[in-house]
Amino acid sequence: MTQNPFAVFKHKKHGESTRHAKRDWKKRAKPFSFSKLVLVLSVIFFFLPLVVVVILSFNASKGSTFTEFSFKWYGELFTGSAKLWKALWNSVIVALISSALATVLGSLASIGMGWYKFKGKSYIQVLSFLPMILPEVIMGVSMLIFFSLLKIQPGLFTIIVAHTTFCLPFVYLMVSARIDEFDYSIIEASHDLGANEIQTLFKVIIPAIMPGVLSGFMMSITMSFDDYVITKLVSGSGVETLPIYIYNSVRHGVSPVINCISFIMIIFTVVMTLCLRKSLKSFAAAK
């Protein structure tokens, strides 16, 4: 099938006119404006605390005044902070397991809600967003009452269940956004070629919505790793995650060791974000 040359010409002309308009707008843009000032102030507001944390992690003294550059507290982090590493390991375990469960359940729920029609569908859609809308205190207290009624002792299991519950709506929302852009003719083509429902799900639907699934998984890890209120309410007295450990430590004064682990987490987050961004771009381009 030959392509219409006039359509190609119009497309190129439209693209060139758009580029020229952007170039002219940049030329007419003022070197100083209120929007640029707000942008600069916002960047400073968000990133200045991170810069302070990084600088103080290399401070030789324990106070907030920088005295001398030193790796003293990094040595303390890797040699004398067993409780901190245990709390970090607990956070990693909870984040990975709860995010994996929330990703599977949220993806399947979004697929089912997007493809099938049944009574009460609109009500279920509204209820599915309640864990994301409700305040964390209410969510944590309700989960605590639920576990108490079932006689379940607080611990890692209760934290994983609670984190799976409040991470699930985020996965559902991201995968649903991907499903809304889905080309349904691909499913019809797979059925015409003899594929059943299971084969269509694993070989057609899931690969097509994989960017949304991965985005939901990474957001779930971030939400789980960062949560304090719900975790504190359902964890009991024997289990500490990293946010709980940091809060308990800050009550007695900010330790420079906390600044060191924060800097390591910043580097890890930036590297993971860049790798995920490149992988999602390559995955989308392959599709």
Side-chain angles (χ1 to χ4, degrees):
M1 183 177 180
T2 59
Q3 191 174 12
N4 188 357
F6 294 101
V8 176
F9 174 75
K10 288 181 180 180
H11 177 73
K12 289 183 178 179
K13 185 177 180 181
H14 177 72
E16 291 177 359
S17 62
T18 304
R19 287 194 295 270
H20 287 307
K22 289 182 179 179
R23 195 180 301 115
D24 294 338
W25 181 82
K26 289 180 179 179
K27 289 180 179 179
R28 291 196 305 268
K30 298 178 181 180
F32 176 81
S33 62
F34 179 74
S35 60
K36 291 183 180 179
L37 176 62
V38 173
L39 175 62
V40 172
L41 293 178
S42 301
V43 172
I44 294 174
F45 177 78
F46 283 113
F47 289 98
L48 185 59
L50 300 180
V51 175
V52 173
V53 167
V54 173
I55 293 175
L56 292 181
S57 67
F58 297 100
N59 189 14
S61 64
K62 196 174 182 179
S64 58
T65 303
F66 192 86
T67 58
E68 184 182 358
F69 185 86
S70 174
F71 289 97
K72 170 185 176 181
W73 303 111
Y74 284 93
E76 178 70 19
L77 172 65
F78 289 104
T79 58
S81 303
K83 289 185 178 180
L84 188 149
W85 288 109
K86 184 178 180 180
L88 177 62
W89 180 243
N90 288 336
S91 293
V92 171
I93 293 175
V94 171
L96 290 178
I97 297 178
S98 61
S99 299
L101 293 174
T103 302
V104 173
L105 296 176
S107 300
L108 294 177
S110 60
I111 293 173
M113 296 292 287
W115 262 273
Y116 300 103
K117 296 181 180 180
F118 50 89
K119 291 183 179 181
K121 178 179 177 180
S122 59
Y123 297 103
I124 295 177
Q125 287 178 331
V126 174
L127 291 175
S128 63
F129 289 107
L130 280 180
M132 186 170 56
I133 299 172
L134 288 175
E136 289 192 354
V137 174
I138 298 177
M139 184 72 184
V141 171
S142 62
M143 295 297 296
L144 179 61
I145 295 174
F146 175 74
F147 292 135
S148 299
L149 291 175
L150 295 180
K151 309 270 186 215
I152 299 177
Q153 293 297 325
L156 279 180
F157 175 75
T158 56
I159 299 175
I160 291 172
V161 173
H163 284 208
T164 303
T165 303
F166 77 78
C167 286
L168 196 149
F170 295 95
V171 179
Y172 174 81
L173 184 64
M174 289 197 165
V175 178
S176 296
R178 185 72 180 180
I179 289 177
D180 291 339
E181 302 175 354
F182 194 84
D183 186 6
Y184 290 88
S185 62
I186 302 177
I187 299 179
E188 296 177 357
S190 67
H191 289 166
D192 293 338
L193 294 174
N196 55 31
E197 293 289 337
I198 301 298
Q199 291 173 334
T200 302
L201 175 64
F202 285 99
K203 294 185 179 181
V204 178
I205 298 176
I206 292 180
I209 64 174
M210 188 56 66
V213 174
L214 292 177
S215 300
F217 178 72
M218 295 304 296
M219 175 167 282
S220 298
I221 289 179
T222 304
M223 298 294 296
S224 174
F225 208 86
D226 185 60
D227 183 77
Y228 170 79
V229 177
I230 297 177
T231 307
K232 181 65 175 178
L233 289 171
V234 301
S235 62
S237 58
V239 178
E240 274 189 335
T241 59
L242 187 62
I244 296 176
Y245 177 87
I246 291 176
Y247 180 79
N248 293 335
S249 301
V250 168
R251 287 189 303 174
H252 305 289
V254 180
S255 173
V257 177
I258 304 299
N259 297 329
C260 298
I261 192 66
S262 300
F263 181 41
I264 293 174
M265 291 176 62
I266 290 171
I267 295 176
F268 179 77
T269 303
V270 171
V271 172
M272 288 297 297
T273 302
L274 294 176
C275 294
L276 180 64
R277 182 183 178 186
K278 291 182 179 180
S279 62
L280 287 177
K281 281 185 176 180
S282 60
F283 188 86
K287 293 296 177 183

